[in-house]
């Protein structure tokens, strides 16, 4: 039996659920890990995560499909991305097969918290890792915890999808040849002041430019960017300081193979912005969030798709991917993992 929650009106926030997965790395090896009801973490005041921000995370979702199955979407890609992140942060890799199994086991242990089909709500899954042993000199920790918790979250868009206004940022999200292409917690800490400043000034997000020249469009603080040209081509910025979004990767495949669109991954110059018909952000939370207006100091770009609704190409793209995730459209082989 599921929980008796007002699923459609849940916030996009944290709620303690029944079980979480915990594995510990000590003496050079990961232990078997356990599912536990204890949501508290106890560690030394000198833990590496507290001193030098040695932490990373992933985000994905579980869904109830149209035919009543509980599934999750491409967790193997989250495992691979965390492997790359850990290698760059000198953290021990949690093996891909174990990562995927731990995701499935954690969802299975919290099946009552998976929202019903049709509510717009989903079960958000947060795998993360951090240095837990004492570190006072600047060096990697020797002990780590890998954990997964889940929490039900409401629909990202309450009352329908409305295009947002973003600004071109003067600050940088990442350094050239830095950590922009991995999912390190420190990247998000660096963006917090700028996103709060954007909100205080009436903008939903910051659109970051490349940190070396401030010439090319990169991404926002927490999502990749999609553009649609006048001839219906889907364009996404390419750079070695952009986090490779699993949602974006999936959308590009859907655009090519399901909607038969032309797709380009390439550097996108800021001065190209007025030539695009549609623009949107893509990520786990919203799939696609449309942008209607881009403000660059004293000038602005008003996307022809407008401020009332998502443009037609991005709308079809979002509907197709969410249809695949919810079991209403046949998925490519290997994309959907069923939890039984």
């Amino acid at each position: 039996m599921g929980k008796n929650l007002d699923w459609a009106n849940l916030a996009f926030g944290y709620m303690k659920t029944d079980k979480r997965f915990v594995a510990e790395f000590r003496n050079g090896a990961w232990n078997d890990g356990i599912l536990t009801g204890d949501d508290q973490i106890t560690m030394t005041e000198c833990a590496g995560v507290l001193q030098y921000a040695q932490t990373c995370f992933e985000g994905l979702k579980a869904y109830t499909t149209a035919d009543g199955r509980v599934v999750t979407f491409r967790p193997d890609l989250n495992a691979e991305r965390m492997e790359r992140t850990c290698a760059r942060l000198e953290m021990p890799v949690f093996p891909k097969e174990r990562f995927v199994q731990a995701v499935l086991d954690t969802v299975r242990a919290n099946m009552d918290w998976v929202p019903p089909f049709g509510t717009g709500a989903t079960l958000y899954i947060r795998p993360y890792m951090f240095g837990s042993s004492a570190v006072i000199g600047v060096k990697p920790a020797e002990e780590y915890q890998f954990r997964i918790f889940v929490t039900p979250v409401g629909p990202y868009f309450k009352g329908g999808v409305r295009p947002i206004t973003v600004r071109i940022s003067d600050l940088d999200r990442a350094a050239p040849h830095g950590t922009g292409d991995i999912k390190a917690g420190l990247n998000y800490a660096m963006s917090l002041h700028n996103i709060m400043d954007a909100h205080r000034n009436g903008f939903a997000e910051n659109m970051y430019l490349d940190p070396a020249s401030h010439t090319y469009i990169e991404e926002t603080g927490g999502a990749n960017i999609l553009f649609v040209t006048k001839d219906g081509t889907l364009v996404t910025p390419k750079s070695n300081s952009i986090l490779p979004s699993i949602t974006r990767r999936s959308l590009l495949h859907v655009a090519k193979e399901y909607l038969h669109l032309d797709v380009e991954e390439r550097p996108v110059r800021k001065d190209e912005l007025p030539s695009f018909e549609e623009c949107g952000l893509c990520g786990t939370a919203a799939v696609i969030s449309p942008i209607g207006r881009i403000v660059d100091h004293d000038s602005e770009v008003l996307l022809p798709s407008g401020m009332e609704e998502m443009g037609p190409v991005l709308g079809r793209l979002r509907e197709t991917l969410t249809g695949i995730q919810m079991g209403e459209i046949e998925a490519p082989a290997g994309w959907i993992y069923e939890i039984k």
Side-chain angles (χ1 to χ4, degrees), residues 20-21 99 102-103 106 125-128 146-150:
R20 65 273 310 127
F21 178 82
F99 179 107
V103 166
T106 307
I125 306 165
R126 170 53 60 88
Y128 61 110
F146 171 77
R147 288 176 167 256
I148 303 174
F149 67 79
V150 298

Side-chain angles (χ1 to χ4, degrees), residues 147-304:
R147 288 176 167 256
I148 303 174
F149 67 79
V150 298
T151 183
V153 294
Y156 194 81
F157 296 113
K158 289 183 170 62
V161 179
R162 302 281 292 191
I164 59 174
T165 297
V166 303
R167 71 177 181 185
I168 300 290
S169 176
D170 291 328
L171 302 180
D172 293 327
R173 175 189 154 270
H177 315 296
T179 58
D181 61 330
I182 61 172
K183 204 165 176 68
L186 58 91
N187 292 346
Y188 297 81
M190 287 169 61
S191 73
L192 290 176
H193 168 70
N194 208 24
I195 188 63
M196 295 306 295
D197 183 69
H199 291 168
R200 286 189 284 266
N201 285 281
F203 302 100
E205 253 292 7
N206 293 293
M207 184 176 282
Y208 289 99
L209 304 175
D210 74 285
S213 70
H214 281 207
T215 302
Y216 296 95
I217 302 296
E218 294 235 315
E219 61 172 302
T220 65
N224 285 181
I225 301 174
L226 302 169
F227 297 102
V228 180
T229 66
K230 287 180 170 59
D231 66 1
T233 299
L234 186 69
V235 178
T236 186
K238 186 175 184 178
S239 160
N240 61 8
S241 54
I242 291 175
L243 180 76
S245 161
I246 292 162
T247 302
R248 183 195 67 178
R249 180 169 164 178
S250 304
L251 286 166
L252 297 186
H253 180 89
V254 167
K256 290 177 191 172
E257 303 300 328
Y258 285 68
L259 302 182
H260 309 295
L261 301 175
D262 291 328
V263 172
E264 296 178 359
E265 292 183 78
R266 62 172 176 81
V268 176
R269 294 180 61 90
K270 185 178 81 165
D271 59 18
E272 291 182 67
L273 287 176
S275 69
F276 292 117
E277 285 288 303
E278 301 176 39
C279 179
L281 311 181
C282 65
T284 300
V287 182
I288 297 178
S289 178
I291 293 172
R293 179 168 166 257
I294 303 167
V295 176
D296 183 11
H297 298 89
D298 295 331
S299 65
E300 65 179 23
V301 173
L302 295 172
L303 277 300

Side-chain angles (χ1 to χ4, degrees), residues 92-105:
V93 167
F94 195 74
K96 175 179 172 178
E97 296 74 16
R98 290 193 60 191
F99 179 107
V100 172
Q101 191 60 53
V103 166
L104 302 180
D105 290 346

